[in-house]
Amino acid sequence: MPEWDDAVDAGYDFEHDELSTLDRQERDLDYVWDIFDKDETPIDGVLISREQVESTDSKAKRLAEHGVYDDPILSIPDWLPTISDCGAWGYKSLPFPPYGNAEMLDFYETLEVSVGVTIDHLVLGSGKEKGRLYLDERGFQDGFKKSDLPSALTDAVDLMIDEWATEWPPYVEEYEPSICRGDAEEITPFTVEDFEGSVERVLDRLDDDNRAVYRQDDKQFRYELTLQNAREIRELYEQGNYPFRLMVAIQGWDSESYTNAAAEVLDLGYDYVGIGGVAGSPVHAVRKIVKNVGKTVKGFEREHGTRVDTHVFGFAKSEAFETIGRSGMASFDSASMLRSAWTGGENYRLDADERYDAIRVRYPSHGAAVEDAVETALRGRETLEALRAYASEKSIVDALGEWVSVAETTLSETGEYLREHRHDEKFDASRLQEVESNLRDDFEYARKLRAYFSEDLRDQIVKLLRADSPEDPLPFEEYATLLQTARETFERFPRLADILGAELSKSEGMDRFEQIWFVVQDYAIWAGDEDLLEAYRETLANEPWNRCECPICEEHGVEVCIFRGNDRNRRRGFHNTDRFYDEFDDALPKTLVVTKGSASLSNHDTVEEYLANEVPDFWEAVHDLPVAELGVVDANGVHEWWHDTPNTVSFAPRKMANTLTDQLSRYDRLYVYESSTLSPGVEEQVRDVVDEVSISEQGSELRDTLLADLGESYSVGRDFLPHAPVLEAGEGLDILVIDQCSGSKYVPEGMRVFEADEIDGRSREELLGRDGVRGVAARDLYTGRQQEFVSEAVRQLRDDGHEVQRYFISAGFGLVDESEDLPPYEVTFSSMRVAEIRDRSERLGIKQDISRLLQQAEYDVVFFALGKDYYTSIDIDQTVQLVRPGRIGVVFNRDLVDEQFENIVSVPARTEDAKRHGTIVVGLKGLYLKYFARNLPQAEKIDPETIETLCRYVEDEPVQAAFEQF
């Protein structure tokens, strides 16, 4: 997880929304690793960017002095590895990275991080004809503003305006000597004359200007500069004796450029490759890049008998876990789960599919009038008291009544306290913070005053206390006026305790949910959050905070589901990260593969060298395995494959048992080569901390066991990488066809046709049971052109010995088997908006039914013969992932799906294709299936590309002759 000062006040007072101490330096801060126990911490390391380290001078100085592990504030535990990079997103609008290679190596060494990353420059695409122009923001001074730039220039070039560094790294001189000349701190202001004339003249004028850098092909420059830095820093790293591991960052703009970059840095000798620049990219793009970089890395590993770790910067897509795993990625980082707690909706996560909106209870606006601040505080406090009572299953009415009583007492006691103590010596201080801190410590109701009547009111009182003195007393009326304003607002304040009490006295009453819903509705409407009410209702009805066992939810309960301030929101972010980590851990369990080190371990420079030479059966079988860390064990613990070998080797059983149980507490699975690696006593202790321990006597057996345990996706042959399956066509295929309903339907004479309002809320059986209603089998009901072609294809395939199942997605009745009887009806997705389609699909359970269908049976080929709206109804991008890796899925006009998955083919079915086949688009997918059925007997084997050829081939020549045509 990236380190962006994401800490919370360990002693935060949730009841009164008060920090433990007003002085941040005295506050005990909790990071995610402080809140969770070691074996439950939902991260495996921390990413520390130089940009963030230097965000303040104090932080930079502190970390330079102490390092990341001994820093008194950050205090990262030593069992969490750290990666440090430059923070390329932070300087993306500069013409060059502001750091040099030698200084970055020194920076990493000073911080004492585990891994340092080479300097990269984010590759940014530009659609502008003339390329990209960088301008130093310091040149825009009094007489000339950014808005004064001529539109002819801004339309022609991609402008990047930022404040440049006062000193560039030495290598910049080679590329742009002009910006390295003179006193960089004395920048001549831009003028109108600098940008007069044609775009070409302006660019020519700025060519030798220390305030501007212009590049026609900036994308290629950034790409090549990143690789050049990788070459230079590698040489410097090898010359020095640095204590950290060096990762190389690669950049690109498409799968091919990333793959080429990966091949180049592998040849430089890097064994840790970081894929940069994909943060924020759509999941299909990340899948494609990761998949192809992974193939390049695995090819290199297998050719050279080595191992390479790979990292993905800025990735957090649970739907791409399989791609990440099968492509051999070793690590990734992301703050998106943390940030999601306070950005957008659905900010409380239980899992990838179940998310809720935290209920927003707002603080007064900064600078609001005291009466407005008091009203906002009162309304918020009322809602908080009601939510807490609801969560603890106490009487909401009683809780609100008690709060009103305490609030009244608070105002009275405040007036009495101020009369008696306003001239106390403790308030004779120059700093407001000191006065406020003394008031909090001395006055029993000080926290309630702020919580109930606003921080603004208490701040005003604190200011009066600082100004007041026995020698020059303020009129007490100034205090009284503030308190009277609060009292008058409080007396006008709607008393929901009275309203709810009156409702409960009625015979029908209100249950607990109706009471809290009444309060939350009232507050949300007052706050202008009406659009969130539906989401709030779902949150309150499901009470998700009671279904999470993380330490945050267990300690703070409903507070985590309240959107209000850093100390709730960041804790919810830690919770979200924990739930994401659980999904990650289920998909890619933390796995360690080990063998025992021997006395000769220290005779080799690296663990990899030892394994390759001393234990070749083990190394050859496991060096390219995915989802695993590899190493040797002795009494000093686990030495990973990339480590230098230890100076001494010990096998003392007790020490070995204690060391391993501590190190292995975060692992889910342990695979051991040879039973002699762990003595019986050590093995027994290890099994107490690791869920699954597997021992193999041969390397091949270990490999096969691990891949099988990871799941079918990995155990398809010894090459677990994503690849296109090849099926025997002559042995009879199991085929599933997902068809859709058609507007054209067969309606028996005199039969009524049901509309949506009649279908909804009634079962199919009820409709079929009505007098005069006769059911029609789905295959006969739908009479559209596509459906008729598909019927012909199904008959042909069955005649040829293939097993075929056909289902229809019905906008009226959900997923139905072709033989099921339906009453004639008139409902279609084609006339609905996307949100309506998804809502109706969810109510009909279409996506869930298709998921069960694909998971319960192992079809060889699955055709999704659907239009755009019907693809929406099943979320096709996710549904295709249920087609097993060794089987083939067929979609139409979904190129992005095709690019992501090797076992999915997208067949073009657009207007131009329809013309070629002498039909119209509406029937083309059915015609393709008809051609597939007709041509299949001529193919001995099929893969995704072959299926496309069989679908599209219509000439009279043999099919085999056409395989190269498409």
Side-chain angles (χ1 to χ4, degrees):
M1 187 170 72
E3 193 287 299
W4 288 344
D5 291 319
D6 289 303
V8 296
D9 182 357
Y12 187 75
D13 178 358
F14 282 89
E15 182 183 353
H16 301 106
D17 284 322
E18 280 268 33
L19 294 165
S20 58
T21 173
L22 298 178
D23 188 343
R24 179 179 172 85
Q25 302 304 316
E26 297 178 359
R27 215 170 291 154
D28 184 11
L29 299 179
D30 273 353
Y31 290 82
V32 66
W33 49 83
D34 298 313
I35 292 176
F36 291 82
D37 293 335
K38 175 183 175 181
D39 57 343
E40 298 295 332
T41 299
I43 61 172
D44 294 306
V46 186
L47 175 70
I48 302 170
S49 291
R50 180 168 181 174
E51 176 205 8
Q52 287 297 317
V53 169
E54 297 176 347
S55 58
T56 64
D57 291 340
S58 60
K59 182 176 182 179
K61 182 179 179 181
R62 200 185 72 234
L63 289 177
E65 179 181 353
H66 299 286
V68 297
Y69 291 102
D70 294 327
D71 177 61
I73 294 179
L74 197 58
S75 190
I76 297 173
D78 57 11
W79 54 266
L80 268 180
T82 48
I83 296 174
S84 184
D85 67 357
C86 305
W89 285 94
Y91 56 79
K92 67 179 185 297
S93 54
L94 296 179
F96 297 94
Y99 313 120
N101 289 310
E103 69 169 295
M104 283 310 304
L105 291 174
D106 292 342
F107 175 82
Y108 297 145
E109 185 172 26
T110 299
L111 259 63
E112 300 178 347
V113 294
S114 313
V115 178
V117 184
T118 61
I119 302 173
D120 58 335
H121 208 15
L122 196 67
V123 171
L124 302 170
S126 173
K128 298 298 179 68
E129 175 190 356
K130 296 291 185 178
R132 179 169 288 126
L133 174 64
Y134 296 88
L135 297 176
D136 189 342
E137 192 170 35
R138 294 173 297 170
F140 294 92
Q141 298 180 15
D142 298 337
F144 192 80
K145 303 184 292 296
K146 300 172 193 176
S147 58
D148 294 327
L149 290 168
S151 58
L153 178 68
T154 57
D155 291 343
V157 300
D158 183 16
L159 274 175
M160 302 294 267
I161 303 173
D162 202 347
E163 183 176 333
W164 290 5
T166 56
E167 183 178 353
W168 291 105
Y171 71 84
V172 174
E173 176 82 27
E174 175 187 347
Y175 297 101
E176 290 287 346
S178 65
I179 71 173
C180 299
R181 291 200 301 263
D183 187 348
E185 295 185 356
E186 295 184 7
I187 298 297
T188 304
F190 287 120
T191 64
V192 174
E193 290 75 20
D194 290 323
F195 299 96
E196 285 184 340
S198 67
V199 172
E200 286 73 15
R201 289 190 62 186
V202 172
L203 295 177
D204 186 61
R205 189 181 298 127
L206 295 173
D207 182 56
D208 198 36
D209 195 307
N210 71 337
R211 304 163 297 175
V213 170
Y214 168 70
R215 299 188 192 113
Q216 175 68 45
D217 192 355
D218 189 62
K219 178 174 68 176
Q220 187 68 32
F221 179 86
R222 285 169 172 255
Y223 176 81
E224 292 174 355
L225 180 63
T226 298
L227 291 174
Q228 179 61 27
N229 279 328
R231 287 188 285 270
E232 291 181 2
I233 201 171
R234 178 78 188 177
E235 292 178 5
L236 293 171
Y237 178 79
E238 291 177 343
Q239 292 168 11
N241 185 27
Y242 293 100
F244 55 87
R245 189 180 183 192
L246 188 63
M247 178 198 296
V248 61
I250 60 173
Q251 289 283 343
W253 56 89
D254 59 15
S255 174
E256 183 179 3
S257 59
Y258 275 101
T259 301
N260 291 338
E264 185 163 340
V265 298
L266 289 171
D267 286 339
L268 294 174
Y270 282 99
D271 62 10
Y272 206 171
V273 178
I275 303 174
V278 299
S281 299
V283 67
H284 65 81
V286 178
R287 275 201 192 101
K288 189 174 182 182
I289 291 167
V290 166
K291 181 179 66 176
N292 288 305
V293 169
K295 286 185 175 181
T296 300
V297 169
K298 288 303 166 192
F300 184 88
E301 288 178 334
R302 289 163 184 171
E303 180 182 353
H304 295 85
T306 187
R307 185 169 179 82
V308 176
D309 287 334
T310 318
H311 181 88
V312 188
F313 285 99
F315 164 88
K317 305 286 187 183
S318 54
E319 61 267 42
F321 279 155
E322 182 181 282
T323 302
I324 288 289
R326 291 178 68 196
S327 299
M329 301 297 107
S331 53
F332 62 83
D333 70 87
S334 176
S336 63
M337 291 302 110
L338 180 67
R339 295 285 175 271
S340 69
W342 58 87
T343 55
E346 297 187 335
N347 38 49
Y348 179 95
R349 178 189 186 105
L350 279 183
D351 57 40
D353 298 319
E354 191 174 359
R355 306 185 191 194
Y356 297 91
D357 268 28
I359 297 167
R360 294 170 185 263
V361 182
R362 303 176 186 278
Y363 288 108
S365 301
H366 180 69
V370 171
E371 55 267 32
D372 294 334
V374 169
E375 181 180 5
T376 301
L378 287 168
R379 285 185 174 271
R381 184 54 44 180
E382 181 179 61
T383 304
L384 289 172
E385 297 291 343
L387 285 168
R388 289 167 182 159
Y390 174 72
S392 59
E393 299 187 1
K394 296 180 180 177
S395 166
I396 295 174
V397 172
D398 290 349
L400 293 179
E402 182 180 342
W403 164 68
V404 168
S405 176
V406 174
E408 290 172 341
T409 302
T410 299
L411 282 179
S412 300
E413 291 291 333
T414 301
E416 292 299 319
Y417 178 86
L418 292 173
R419 283 185 184 278
E420 184 176 346
H421 298 282
R422 63 188 176 121
H423 293 147
D424 285 0
E425 185 178 350
K426 65 174 70 69
F427 299 131
D428 183 18
S430 59
R431 294 176 64 241
L432 282 171
Q433 186 183 94
E434 187 177 345
V435 176
E436 184 177 12
S437 181
N438 289 334
L439 178 66
R440 285 197 343 164
D441 293 342
D442 190 62
F443 178 39
E444 178 185 358
Y445 289 89
R447 290 174 182 257
K448 290 181 172 58
L449 180 67
R450 179 185 183 276
Y452 299 170
F453 296 97
S454 81
E455 180 180 12
D456 301 73
L457 178 69
R458 195 176 77 180
D459 284 350
Q460 292 294 321
I461 290 174
V462 168
K463 289 177 182 178
L464 291 176
L465 285 171
R466 185 181 66 168
D468 205 352
S469 70
E471 296 78 20
D472 187 16
L474 295 176
F476 189 76
E477 286 74 15
E478 293 192 35
Y479 294 100
T481 299
L482 284 173
L483 294 176
Q484 184 60 27
T485 298
R487 186 174 298 281
E488 290 173 357
T489 305
F490 185 48
E491 289 172 352
R492 294 194 307 269
F493 178 67
R495 301 292 175 82
L496 287 183
D498 297 337
I499 297 171
L500 286 176
E503 288 294 324
L504 287 175
S505 66
K506 297 177 181 178
S507 57
E508 62 273 16
M510 299 172 72
D511 63 24
R512 284 181 58 256
F513 180 81
E514 289 171 329
Q515 293 175 55
I516 192 61
W517 183 235
F518 183 87
V519 174
V520 170
Q521 271 187 303
D522 180 77
Y523 178 78
I525 292 170
W526 175 84
D529 290 335
E530 297 96 326
D531 57 326
L532 299 175
L533 279 172
E534 185 176 345
Y536 287 172
R537 187 180 185 92
E538 187 175 358
T539 301
L540 293 168
N542 287 280
E543 302 183 36
W545 59 87
N546 286 330
R547 294 158 51 205
C548 177
E549 297 178 355
C550 81
I552 295 170
C553 291
E554 288 196 335
E555 180 177 358
H556 302 296
V558 72
E559 304 289 350
V560 190
C561 266
I562 295 172
F563 194 115
R564 183 177 169 89
N566 171 74
D567 283 279
R568 283 186 181 83
N569 295 346
R570 269 203 172 85
R571 280 180 169 87
R572 186 168 58 255
F574 295 159
H575 152 89
N576 286 346
T577 303
D578 179 59
R579 298 309 300 233
F580 174 80
Y581 191 90
D582 287 345
E583 297 168 45
F584 162 57
D585 205 34
D586 286 342
L588 304 173
K590 194 163 176 59
T591 300
L592 179 65
V593 181
V594 297
T595 187
K596 189 175 183 179
S598 67
S600 63
L601 178 61
S602 56
N603 295 336
H604 298 269
D605 292 331
T606 67
V607 173
E608 178 182 14
E609 180 185 300
Y610 166 79
L611 291 172
N613 287 281
E614 304 284 346
V615 202
D617 176 59
F618 171 79
W619 183 247
E620 289 168 10
V622 305
H623 74 86
D624 67 335
L625 282 176
V627 195
E629 297 172 20
L630 314 180
V632 298
V633 295
D634 71 351
N636 297 307
V638 178
H639 309 283
E640 289 192 56
W641 66 273
W642 52 271
H643 283 164
D644 291 339
T645 53
N647 294 325
T648 60
V649 180
S650 168
F651 301 103
R654 179 174 298 177
K655 182 181 179 182
M656 191 168 181
N658 292 336
T659 304
L660 286 182
T661 51
D662 179 61
Q663 285 189 289
L664 297 180
S665 65
R666 289 183 53 80
Y667 285 89
D668 303 298
R669 296 176 180 175
L670 175 66
Y671 293 84
V672 179
Y673 177 71
E674 295 185 337
S675 54
S676 60
T677 297
L678 302 178
S679 64
V682 173
E683 180 184 341
E684 183 179 354
Q685 285 193 236
V686 165
R687 288 186 182 275
D688 286 339
V689 296
V690 182
D691 292 338
E692 298 179 29
V693 179
S694 175
I695 300 175
S696 302
E697 301 300 331
Q698 296 181 336
S700 58
E701 177 190 353
L702 189 157
R703 178 187 182 88
D704 292 342
T705 301
L706 186 149
L707 291 175
D709 288 348
L710 286 174
E712 182 184 11
S713 300
Y714 297 83
S715 56
V716 181
R718 289 181 63 79
D719 182 359
F720 47 81
L721 288 167
H723 63 281
V726 179
L727 306 177
E728 298 287 341
E731 297 180 358
L733 298 170
D734 287 329
I735 299 172
L736 173 64
V737 178
I738 306 294
D739 204 346
Q740 68 179 59
C741 61
S742 64
S744 173
K745 298 181 180 70
Y746 165 67
V747 180
E749 187 174 350
M751 179 87 70
R752 64 173 300 191
V753 176
F754 291 100
E755 301 290 339
D757 57 348
E758 296 178 283
I759 291 175
D760 293 343
R762 296 172 179 83
S763 69
R764 184 171 49 193
E765 291 74 16
E766 181 182 348
L767 295 174
L768 289 171
R770 292 187 178 182
D771 292 340
V773 176
R774 178 162 60 87
V776 180
R779 60 173 167 261
D780 301 321
L781 178 64
Y782 304 119
T783 57
R785 187 173 302 196
Q786 170 176 312
Q787 288 69 29
E788 291 181 352
F789 284 143
V790 172
S791 294
E792 292 182 47
V794 169
R795 284 194 293 271
Q796 177 73 58
L797 290 167
R798 286 171 176 164
D799 288 345
D800 290 339
H802 303 287
E803 293 288 334
V804 183
Q805 297 290 321
R806 182 186 185 188
Y807 285 80
F808 291 89
I809 293 179
S810 162
F813 298 101
L815 185 69
V816 296
D817 184 271
E818 64 173 346
S819 61
E820 290 186 66
D821 285 345
L822 300 175
Y825 67 95
E826 191 56 52
V827 187
T828 177
F829 284 132
S830 302
S831 60
M832 299 181 191
R833 298 190 301 272
V834 169
E836 292 176 311
I837 293 172
R838 288 176 175 160
D839 179 65
R840 186 169 186 82
S841 173
E842 185 175 350
R843 283 191 281 117
L844 294 172
I846 295 174
K847 183 179 175 182
Q848 294 86 340
D849 287 343
I850 287 199
S851 296
R852 281 193 292 271
L853 185 64
L854 293 173
Q855 290 170 337
Q856 289 172 357
E858 192 167 318
Y859 297 101
D860 295 311
V861 183
V862 181
F863 285 93
F864 296 92
L866 306 170
K868 177 170 63 93
D869 295 325
Y870 287 80
Y871 279 142
T872 298
S873 75
I874 65 170
D875 192 353
I876 187 63
D877 291 350
Q878 286 193 13
T879 298
V880 293
Q881 297 180 59
L882 299 174
V883 177
R884 299 173 190 260
R887 303 296 183 262
I888 301 171
V890 185
V891 294
F892 300 89
N893 298 330
R894 305 292 293 187
D895 295 339
L896 289 179
V897 176
D898 188 315
E899 292 174 356
Q900 297 174 67
F901 308 105
E902 300 283 354
N903 66 325
I904 307 296
V905 59
S906 176
V907 182
R910 299 180 174 89
T911 302
E912 57 269 26
D913 303 293
K915 289 179 179 178
R916 177 176 175 269
H917 292 282
T919 186
I920 59 176
V921 171
V922 172
L924 184 56
K925 291 185 283 291
L927 189 61
Y928 278 162
L929 261 76
K930 180 179 176 180
Y931 290 154
F932 170 79
R934 186 185 68 185
N935 295 326
L936 182 59
Q938 301 178 61
E940 295 181 3
K941 299 177 183 292
I942 60 169
D943 59 21
E945 289 187 6
T946 305
I947 288 181
E948 179 179 349
T949 302
L950 296 175
C951 287
R952 300 180 67 196
Y953 180 67
V954 295
E955 304 298 334
D956 293 332
E957 61 186 287
V959 174
Q960 189 63 38
F963 278 178
E964 297 180 1
Q965 180 179 348
F966 301 105

